[in-house]
């Protein structure tokens, strides 16, 4: 039994859980994946690492800047580049040019998932555990039922909490937030109104012999944004984040329209190859000839129309608050702010229940 169960170990869930833990509450974070950090993710591949989610951290507001300052001080983050490229197509889509834009980008040499690991320090996290259903108990607590798998069948399959913070994408939350549990139509309608753009990411490694080619380039950027491109959104020279890398590694993010067209494709390597082919047309021709590639699909990469609130509370039930980039937007900055707002709201709701029951 816990004071608060936080569902989701992304930026919002972890910031919320830490705030509550520091306030003296017993907190558990339930995460369906094996790792923490959500889309601030790193994959081990072919003897190296590749950041296939969040590309880097940049100052978007006080929340992210504060996190950057702490992580730089702890040698978890370093300045990767102070200049990014922005590809602008020529007239009628013919040709184009990369323009240099000043921007400070911070990365973790050990992998961007080091950010999530830092935020998770001291928390009780039940990883590899998907919430299947929630209900209420006779003594006015939340009961969470967890999915049973071969990996966790010998672990607890349920937990009890006074309050819940749901810090996952709205469509995933709606799998267990149902009208027959007392949630108002207005609350559920707001969650149903939130839409997301998908993204397909390809990680590609190249022969070590290509390293001199990159060292001889006069480009001041290690990352390029593609504005308005039908297929591409971004490419980054990912291995340049590492202190030592056995080979050049690039990461390419698709546009939302490309992801919509190919998200359900069965032959993912060919989808990744298409992205590399397109990238090679704009940058270096040999980018279409990787030594290896891997593809990852992000179904809920970016919230398209976030709710205009910092967090969303369910009325008429035991304390339950939704948080994350579905509230307020602004990507990581919004997620961190939403998590902190949810923590403050949960504390006030729990305290109000104590008052109502005459416990204070």
């Amino acid at each position: 039994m816990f004071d608060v169960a936080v569902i989701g170990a992304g930026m919002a869930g972890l910031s919320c859980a830490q705030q509550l833990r520091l306030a003296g509450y017993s907190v558990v974070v339930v995460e369906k994946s094996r790792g923490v950090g959500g889309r601030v993710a790193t994959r081990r591949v072919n003897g190296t690492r590749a950041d296939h989610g969040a590309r880097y951290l940049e100052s978007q507001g006080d929340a992210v800047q504060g996190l950057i300052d702490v992580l730089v001080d702890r040698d978890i983050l370093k300045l990767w580049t102070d200049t990014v490229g922005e590809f602008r197509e020529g007239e009628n889509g013919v040709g184009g040019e990369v323009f240099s834009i000043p921007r400070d980008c911070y990365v973790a040499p050990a992998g961007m998932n080091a950010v999530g690991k830092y935020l998770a320090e001291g928390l009780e996290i039940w990883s590899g555990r998907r919430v299947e259903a929630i209900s209420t108990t006779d003594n006015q607590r939340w009961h969470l039922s967890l999915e049973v798998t071969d990996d966790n069948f010998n672990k607890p399959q349920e937990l009890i909490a006074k309050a819940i913070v749901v810090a996952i994408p709205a469509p995933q939350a709606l799998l267990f937030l149902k009208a027959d549990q007392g949630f108002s139509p207005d609350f559920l309608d707001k969650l149903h109104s939130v839409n997301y753009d998908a993204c397909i990411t390809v990680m590609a490694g190249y022969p070590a012999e290509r390293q001199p080619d990159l060292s001889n380039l006069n480009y001041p950027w290690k990352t390029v944004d593609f504005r308005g491109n039908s297929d591409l959104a971004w490419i980054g020279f990912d291995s340049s984040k590492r202190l030592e890398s056995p080979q050049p590694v690039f990461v390419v993010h698709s546009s939302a329209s490309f992801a919509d067209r190919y998200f359900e494709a069965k032959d993912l390597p060919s989808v990744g190859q298409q992205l590399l082919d397109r990238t090679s047309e704009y940058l270096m021709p040999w980018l279409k000839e990787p030594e290896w590639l891997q593809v990852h699909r992000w179904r809920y990469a970016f919230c398209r129309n976030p709710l205009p609130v910092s967090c969303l509370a369910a009325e008429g039930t035991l304390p339950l608050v939704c948080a994350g980039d579905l509230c307020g937007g602004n990507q990581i900055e919004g997620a961190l702010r939403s998590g902190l707002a949810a923590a403050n709201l949960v504390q006030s709701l729990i305290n109000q229940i104590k008052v109502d029951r005459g416990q204070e």
Side-chain angles (χ1 to χ4, degrees):
M1 180 173 172
F2 299 88
D3 291 327
V4 185
V6 177
I7 303 173
M11 293 294 100
L14 293 175
S15 64
C16 176
Q18 281 291 6
Q19 181 89 342
L20 290 167
R21 182 183 73 88
L22 294 174
Y25 292 86
S26 61
V27 185
V28 62
V29 180
V30 184
E31 168 58 44
K32 66 180 180 65
S33 302
R34 289 179 294 177
V36 297
R39 282 161 280 176
V40 184
T42 304
R43 178 177 291 184
R44 289 183 177 273
V45 53
N46 283 64
T48 186
R49 296 179 177 89
D51 295 324
H52 61 294
R55 308 166 296 184
Y56 45 77
L57 290 187
E58 62 177 318
S59 183
Q60 300 169 323
D62 292 342
V64 173
Q65 186 59 57
L67 182 60
I68 290 173
D69 292 342
V70 170
L71 295 180
V72 168
D73 186 61
R74 296 192 175 208
D75 292 326
I76 295 174
L77 288 186
K78 70 171 184 178
L79 180 66
W80 180 36
T81 180
D82 60 4
T83 305
V84 302
E86 182 176 296
F87 185 86
R88 301 173 189 171
E89 294 191 18
E91 293 185 8
N92 302 316
V94 178
E97 185 178 352
V98 179
F99 291 82
S100 297
I101 309 294
R103 186 183 301 166
D104 288 345
C105 304
Y106 292 84
V107 298
M112 289 300 290
N113 61 351
V115 177
K117 291 177 180 178
Y118 165 76
L119 290 174
E121 289 178 2
L123 293 174
E124 180 165 351
I125 297 181
W126 292 12
S127 57
R129 318 298 296 281
R130 186 191 303 270
V131 175
E132 286 198 319
I134 64 172
S135 58
T136 55
T137 66
D138 292 338
N139 62 343
Q140 295 299 289
R141 299 285 190 272
W142 286 112
H143 175 273
L144 285 72
S145 300
L146 308 180
E147 180 184 31
V148 180
T149 68
D150 292 340
D151 293 332
N152 64 34
F153 72 93
N154 60 344
K155 298 179 181 178
Q157 307 301 332
E158 57 185 7
L159 64 89
I160 305 296
K162 297 176 183 177
I164 296 176
V165 175
V166 181
I168 57 178
Q172 294 177 334
L174 286 165
L175 294 176
F176 54 80
L177 299 179
K178 306 290 185 180
D180 58 8
Q181 296 164 323
F183 298 112
S184 70
D186 179 65
F187 170 75
L188 295 175
D189 286 345
K190 286 177 179 176
L191 291 180
H192 278 291
S193 73
V194 178
N195 297 299
Y196 294 79
D197 287 327
C199 177
I200 295 176
T201 297
V202 57
M203 299 153 272
Y206 295 85
E209 293 74 27
R210 289 294 183 187
Q211 196 69 48
D213 295 348
L214 296 165
S215 302
N216 293 331
L217 293 176
N218 294 320
Y219 302 146
W221 34 259
K222 300 174 182 176
T223 162
V224 177
D225 292 310
F226 291 85
R227 304 293 184 185
N229 191 280
S230 60
D231 294 336
L232 303 171
W234 177 84
I235 182 173
F237 181 18
D238 194 79
S239 55
S240 66
K241 300 175 180 179
R242 320 289 166 221
L243 299 178
E244 295 182 8
S245 181
Q247 63 182 144
V249 176
F250 284 82
V251 174
V252 179
H253 291 181
S254 79
S255 66
S257 60
F258 182 93
D260 286 342
R261 297 198 303 273
Y262 294 103
F263 200 85
E264 302 299 338
K266 298 187 182 302
D267 186 0
L268 286 181
S270 69
V271 172
Q273 186 63 54
Q274 284 191 58
L275 288 173
L276 297 180
D277 289 347
R278 291 288 284 144
T279 307
S280 71
E281 295 174 10
Y282 297 113
L283 301 178
M284 295 162 287
W286 53 262
L287 286 173
K288 65 183 178 181
E289 300 172 346
E291 204 168 59
W292 56 263
L293 66 83
Q294 287 195 14
V295 177
H296 183 86
R297 292 174 290 191
W298 297 100
R299 187 178 294 276
Y300 307 113
F302 302 103
C303 187
R304 190 187 313 153
N305 57 331
L307 300 171
V309 293
S310 58
C311 58
L312 179 67
E315 299 178 358
T317 67
L318 298 175
L320 185 144
V321 179
C322 293
D325 58 2
L326 63 89
C327 295
N330 204 12
Q331 299 181 37
I332 294 177
E333 176 75 19
L336 291 172
R337 287 181 175 275
S338 181
L340 297 177
N344 291 331
L345 181 54
V346 163
Q347 291 181 68
S348 67
L349 293 173
I350 291 176
N351 290 334
Q352 185 59 50
I353 289 176
K354 288 181 179 179
V355 172
D356 294 344
R357 293 177 181 176
Q359 296 176 5
E360 289 187 352

